[in-house]
Amino acid sequence: MGTITYIKNMVKDKYIASITPTSIYGVKDVCKKIDFSKDNVIVEYGPGLGVFSTYILDNMTKDSKLILIERNNDFVDHLKKEIKDSRVTIYHDSAEVVNEALAELGLTEADYIISGIPFSFLTKDIRDIIIESTYNCLKPGGKFLTYQTFFQKNRYLREGIEIRFSRINDSYCFLNAPPLKIHEGIKE
Ligand SMILES: C[S@@+](CC[C@H](N)C(=O)[O-])C[C@H]1O[C@@H](n2cnc3c(N)ncnc32)[C@H](O)[C@@H]1O
């Protein structure tokens, strides 16, 4: 179901950039960097069909908040239909609006920002704006968690993260098709 929906949508929208949702192993590898015992504000860029979103909702506290920012109209419709949870707010927009999205909810900072968006498809200007806004929205100690296919060149994402985040941990998830490269940028 996920793969068919992705392929159908990718024909119309190149920014989906994948033919299948992230595997549960990929989701767990990224989400193990989140401390789910605390109340958190978590933002997700590019939730797609919501594989990360549902895992996060299953694990986060009742007073945590999850903000989803997705630019594809069909995926937004799907998320609105499938996710009925008062802890979630869904924005049909692009990741650059993260500041405004938090402000609309009366929030100024997030604990975690997770991103699955294809940075290699964005212009350098947009990439820089997204990384800068992400950094500014995170609390000290907050994390920017990104995952990309393993063959993506560092110039599209990691080098941008390096400019803002002085601590970055890299890892790989091989139980995903294709394997994922995961960056954990920590705000000092
Ligand atoms: C590779 S898919 C990942 C989907 C899902 N998170 C997963 O892991 O299966 C990339 C997603 O990012 C969305 N996307 C692409 N560019 C975006 C942007 N600038 N802002 C928000 N979402 C974006 C796409 O529509 C798509 O849903």
Side-chain angles (χ1 to χ4, degrees):
M1 155 65 179
T3 303
I4 293 168
T5 311
Y6 267 61
I7 292 171
K8 274 190 193 156
N9 277 283
M10 211 174 85
V11 174
K12 296 184 278 178
D13 178 2
K14 70 167 184 167
Y15 290 101
I16 291 172
S18 174
I19 57 159
T20 192
T22 301
S23 71
I24 187 63
Y25 305 102
V27 171
K28 285 185 176 172
D29 273 6
V30 174
C31 291
K32 71 185 179 194
K33 298 168 190 310
I34 297 175
D35 178 359
F36 284 112
S37 68
K38 291 191 312 147
D39 293 338
N40 289 308
V41 173
I42 303 175
V43 179
E44 185 184 357
Y45 301 156
L49 292 176
V51 281
F52 278 88
S53 325
T54 47
Y55 182 86
I56 291 167
L57 284 168
D58 286 346
N59 286 280
M60 74 186 204
T61 64
K62 67 176 177 38
D63 291 322
S64 292
K65 291 185 192 312
L66 176 62
I67 298 155
L68 307 179
I69 307 178
E70 170 57 59
R71 69 183 295 286
N72 180 277
N73 190 42
D74 292 343
F75 286 170
V76 170
D77 286 349
H78 173 92
L79 293 166
K80 286 188 172 162
K81 199 164 121 227
E82 295 299 321
I83 301 183
K84 306 281 183 208
D85 190 308
S86 57
R87 298 171 296 172
V88 177
T89 309
I90 302 171
Y91 287 93
H92 180 201
D93 218 317
S94 184
E96 302 92 281
V97 303
V98 59
N99 273 301
E100 292 93 313
L102 285 168
E104 247 183 61
L105 298 172
L107 302 166
T108 49
E109 290 174 319
D111 298 277
Y112 299 94
I113 299 184
I114 301 175
S115 170
I117 65 177
F119 273 76
S120 60
F121 289 8
L122 306 177
T123 63
K124 183 173 182 319
D125 285 353
I126 298 290
R127 294 201 297 264
D128 290 348
I129 290 169
I130 292 175
I131 291 171
E132 184 70 17
S133 321
T134 299
Y135 183 83
N136 290 334
C137 284
L138 281 170
K139 290 180 183 165
K143 293 181 180 178
F144 184 31
L145 302 173
T146 67
Y147 53 96
Q148 302 262 283
T149 46
F150 75 103
F151 48 78
Q152 293 295 331
K153 295 195 168 56
N154 284 341
R155 70 169 186 271
Y156 294 123
L157 180 57
R158 199 187 192 287
E159 288 175 12
I161 301 177
E162 279 165 22
I163 294 170
R164 279 325 234 132
F165 293 82
S166 47
R167 283 170 62 203
I168 306 173
N169 299 316
D170 297 330
S171 54
Y172 289 87
C173 173
F174 294 101
L175 295 174
N176 192 76
L180 296 176
K181 180 155 65 172
I182 300 166
H183 303 303
E184 175 188 29
I186 305 170
K187 183 168 174 174
E188 300 270 271

